[in-house]
Amino acid sequence: MKQRAQLRWNALVQGDVKKAYEYYGPGTKATLSLAEFSAGMKMGFWKTVTVDKVECNAPDRCEVSTTIEYEHRGMRVKSPSRETWIREGSEWWLVRR
C-alpha cells in the first residue's frame, strides 16, 4: 500500500499525469475524466513527495501521510498532506476529495 501511494506521487513529480490518474478507482474514473484530471494538475509544482506513514484503521481503508516539497518564491517549502486510500477487490485506490 505504501509503495503504491509512493508510485502515484512519483508519477506526478515526473509529470506523468496519465499514470497518476490510473491510481484512482473505477468510481472516481466514472465521474472524473483524464482530461478533467489533467486540467486540474499544476505539473512541475511538486519537487519531491515522500510517503511518510500509512495508518489503516479498517481492513479496506488507509490514511496516507506525505511530505510534499515544492518551490515558493524561490524557496523550497515542505508541507504535510494526507490522503485516503480504499481497497476494492484485490487493489488499493486513491479516494478523490
Side-chain angles (χ1 to χ4, degrees), residues 31-72:
T31 61
L32 177 71
S33 71
L34 174 58
E36 292 168 326
F37 175 70
S38 296
M41 292 289 100
K42 295 179 184 176
M43 300 317 299
F45 176 78
W46 307 282
K47 302 305 177 192
T48 63
V49 179
T50 304
V51 174
D52 301 314
K53 180 171 51 171
V54 175
E55 296 176 276
C56 302
N57 295 323
D60 296 339
R61 183 182 181 94
C62 294
E63 296 297 319
V64 175
S65 298
T66 62
T67 300
I68 299 173
E69 188 172 334
Y70 57 94
E71 200 165 303
H72 179 69

